[in-house]
Amino acid sequence: VVDRARYDVFPEFVPAQVTVQTEAPGLVAEQVEALVTRPIENAINGANGVESVSSESAQGLSVIRVVFTEGSEPLRARQIIAEALGSVSGKLPSGVSPPALSPLTSSTMDLLKIGLTSDKLDQRQLRALADWTIRPRLLATKGVAGAVVYGAAPSRYEVRIKPSQLVARNISLAEVNSAIAALTTVRGGGFAETTNQRILIQPGNGAIDAAKLRAALVPSGNGTAVALREVADVVLVPAPQFGDALIMGKPGVLVSMSSQYGANTLEASRAVAATLEELKPTLDAQGIKLYPALHRPANFIEVALSGMSKDLIVGALMIALVLFAFLRDLRTALIAFLSIPLSLLAALIVLDKLGGTINTMTLGGLTVSLGVVVDDAVVGVENIVRRLRSAGAADRAAIIANATVEVRAPVVYATYLLAFTIAPILFLTGLQGAFFSPLALSFLLAVLASLVVALTVTPALAVLLLGRMTPHEEPRALARAKAWHRAQLERLCDRPQAVIGATIVTSLIGALGLMAFGGELLPAFREGHYVLKV
């Protein structure tokens, strides 16, 4: 279960959301807002399950962010948005691209950022390699929802018209545009019949270069056609650049990847690393230096898992030492100690079946539950050992069963009381609920699992390991401590008013101290990096 479980930095703490991007070449921001953004917003606002819609209109681009209501099914909500976009696409101005719906992404979104620099290729060639070679391979990797390329500028062919030549040959701009469109559009060629066979006509695949563009035929006013090079210059130049990227202080290209909604961040990061390893020989041959992990959130998961694992191991060892010190028997301590891995594994199995992920909050809940998990088993084992010391030659299996039943009610009541105390956290809403509900759930599952282990596995192990042995006598220091504790309890029970007064004073001091603490949703995390977006 641990090997195939889904890992993530945090639980999904924001509602599902998508982005609708629409390219509107040639339109200024005001036109994009009036002719593109508003019609799309009007269509989306009425969709079922939409919580809020926000938009940005820039030169030639409309970006609309749609946030769905909390608890809605993301795939169904996305389908509703896609249907709404289908109804509005035909109403957009001519030349505007159909609205593009982004894939569903996780709460943290960032999966990996990689950098490319080169001393051999210029920035235009480096950007072209990132756009046409690296990005498609990354998008084909499991768990990757999107890959955005920053830096340099994409290449494009520009047809620079010579107005004097157009006038001299009586050619309009529309005719030039039609000639270019005819050259770049792929159409079916059909077939030609002969007496012996049918010959398929295969047109070009739409791939063009500067030479083909220059040779495109444009009809002129005198009834003849002239080559495009006669009336225009065709050059390959960088497209207008929006933004730039520096990789380790050098001009380069940055590729930012986002993870799919519900994807395993660790698996996706490792799959991307494998893809980059396959591309590395090609990049090295072209003199491209690859920076494979400029920002890798999976590092945070690995560090968190390592830290939590160490905490669990240290806590378990400390518990084992305490158990051995007080119980003075290796087999007795082992029975109580086994409740830790059994309870935690049971909690992880149930958590996985419920569709949860192993993240910082669930690991924190398991860590906090350590003391409670071992407590149920210790109570049962200690009572069993106490009864066996005075058993003599009696039926030991029956003594173990009776000793377990004797403490069953207190153990069950104490566990249920703890469960009812932590249960309200499960019903928190909003950001707090998204963060702390997984912590409370993992804690609750581990505690309930420890109760089941204490009532089933612990007595069975006691019969197997302690059924034929006489337990060690209780240490004198422990017997004296118990006697002193009993005497103190008897004194306090004779003075109930003092006990109540001390409880009230302690509660007031605790409440005043709590008011002095600051409040944060989460503690500060040492991630080892920072991300600056401008």
Side-chain angles (χ1 to χ4, degrees):
V1 174
V2 176
D3 289 339
R4 64 179 179 82
R6 296 188 295 123
Y7 296 87
D8 214 332
V9 182
F10 295 116
E12 291 291 342
F13 57 87
V14 297
Q17 52 186 302
V18 293
T19 302
V20 181
Q21 291 193 4
T22 309
E23 295 184 3
L27 300 184
V28 298
E30 289 79 5
Q31 293 174 313
V32 172
E33 171 71 21
L35 302 177
V36 180
T37 302
R38 288 181 183 174
I40 297 177
E41 279 186 329
N42 292 336
I44 293 175
N45 276 325
N48 187 27
V50 173
E51 175 72 20
S52 64
V53 178
S54 59
S55 64
E56 295 178 11
S57 299
Q59 176 189 351
L61 181 65
S62 168
V63 180
I64 300 175
R65 294 178 179 83
V66 184
V67 179
F68 301 118
T69 55
E70 187 175 355
S72 61
E73 172 56 40
L75 295 179
R76 177 171 175 79
R78 189 176 187 276
Q79 179 184 358
I80 294 174
I81 295 299
E83 293 172 355
L85 293 177
S87 64
V88 77
S89 295
K91 301 177 182 178
L92 298 178
S94 176
V96 176
S97 303
L101 190 61
S102 70
L104 286 170
T105 56
S106 64
S107 301
T108 51
M109 294 183 63
D110 281 341
L111 175 66
L112 185 67
K113 288 183 175 67
I114 64 173
L116 303 170
T117 60
S118 177
D119 295 328
K120 293 184 179 180
L121 303 181
D122 59 29
Q123 291 298 291
R124 181 183 59 80
Q125 293 172 321
L126 189 61
R127 174 63 185 258
L129 180 73
D131 283 332
W132 301 104
T133 302
I134 297 176
R135 185 173 180 271
R137 290 289 301 275
L138 294 176
L139 290 175
T141 304
K142 182 180 179 181
V144 178
V148 182
V149 182
Y150 300 95
S155 301
R156 72 175 184 180
Y157 288 105
E158 286 188 0
V159 178
R160 298 175 177 176
I161 301 296
K162 301 175 182 177
S164 59
Q165 297 297 326
L166 291 183
V167 173
R169 291 173 170 80
N170 196 19
I171 299 175
S172 66
L173 286 174
E175 291 172 326
V176 175
N177 184 64
S178 299
I180 297 173
L183 181 66
T184 57
T185 302
V186 179
R187 297 185 178 90
F191 59 89
E193 293 281 6
T194 67
T195 56
N196 297 322
Q197 62 182 341
R198 174 178 289 176
I199 301 175
L200 299 179
I201 300 174
Q202 182 176 351
N205 58 8
I208 60 172
D209 54 22
K212 288 183 178 180
L213 273 175
R214 295 188 185 102
L217 296 177
V218 182
S220 63
N222 56 17
T224 61
V226 298
L228 182 61
R229 59 175 171 268
E230 301 293 334
V231 295
D233 294 325
V234 179
V235 292
L236 179 63
V237 296
Q241 189 168 342
F242 297 92
D244 208 344
L246 289 176
I247 309 299
M248 299 303 174
K250 297 176 59 177
V253 170
L254 175 73
V255 183
S256 177
M257 284 162 276
S258 56
S259 57
Q260 294 177 356
Y261 187 84
N264 187 321
T265 303
L266 274 181
E267 286 186 1
S269 299
R270 291 166 182 167
V272 171
T275 300
L276 294 176
E277 194 64 28
E278 295 175 1
L279 290 171
K280 198 171 187 304
T282 302
L283 301 179
D284 291 340
Q286 300 186 53
I288 298 174
K289 183 173 179 57
L290 172 67
Y291 295 88
L294 292 177
H295 174 218
R296 186 174 183 266
N299 291 344
F300 183 85
I301 301 175
E302 293 169 348
V303 171
L305 289 175
S306 175
M308 293 292 185
S309 301
K310 292 178 182 177
D311 293 341
L312 289 172
I313 292 173
V314 172
L317 290 177
M318 292 181 65
I319 291 173
L321 291 175
V322 171
L323 290 173
F324 183 75
F326 283 92
L327 298 177
R328 300 292 296 276
D329 184 81
L330 184 60
R331 283 177 289 186
T332 306
L334 179 63
I335 294 173
F337 181 77
L338 285 177
S339 64
I340 297 176
L342 291 177
S343 301
L344 297 185
L345 287 175
L348 288 176
I349 291 173
V350 176
L351 191 65
D352 181 68
K353 295 299 182 181
L354 294 176
T357 63
I358 297 179
N359 52 65
T360 305
M361 307 310 293
T362 54
L363 288 175
L366 295 178
T367 304
V368 173
S369 69
L370 271 181
V372 182
V373 162
V374 76
D375 181 67
D376 291 344
V378 168
V379 172
V381 171
E382 194 276 334
N383 196 54
I384 290 172
V385 171
R386 184 173 64 87
R387 291 296 185 185
L388 288 176
R389 285 196 181 104
S390 57
D395 186 358
R396 290 179 171 267
I399 292 173
I400 292 173
N402 292 332
T404 302
V405 173
E406 185 179 6
V407 297
R408 180 175 61 184
V411 169
V412 171
Y413 293 153
T415 304
Y416 283 173
L417 180 62
L418 186 62
F420 286 134
T421 303
I422 202 73
I425 300 179
L426 297 174
F427 301 100
L428 288 176
T429 59
L431 186 61
Q432 292 81 1
F435 266 105
F436 291 110
S437 292
L439 186 147
L441 179 61
S442 60
F443 179 88
L444 188 60
L445 291 175
V447 170
L448 294 178
S450 72
L451 174 62
V452 176
V453 170
L455 297 179
T456 57
V457 178
T458 299
L461 290 176
V463 172
L464 293 174
L465 299 179
L466 306 179
R468 298 182 180 180
M469 63 163 290
T470 301
H472 296 286
E473 292 296 328
E474 189 174 58
R476 294 180 180 179
L478 186 58
R480 288 195 297 267
K482 285 183 177 181
W484 177 85
H485 184 248
R486 180 184 294 274
Q488 298 301 319
L489 284 178
E490 291 175 351
R491 290 178 57 189
L492 290 175
C493 289
D494 293 336
R495 305 172 62 184
Q497 295 179 350
V499 174
I500 295 175
T503 302
I504 294 175
V505 171
T506 305
S507 301
L508 290 176
I509 294 175
L512 293 174
L514 180 63
M515 295 173 61
F517 282 101
E520 288 187 7
L521 178 63
L522 289 173
F525 292 99
R526 299 177 180 270
E527 300 186 43
H529 60 261
Y530 66 91
V531 179
L532 175 64
K533 292 185 178 180
V534 181

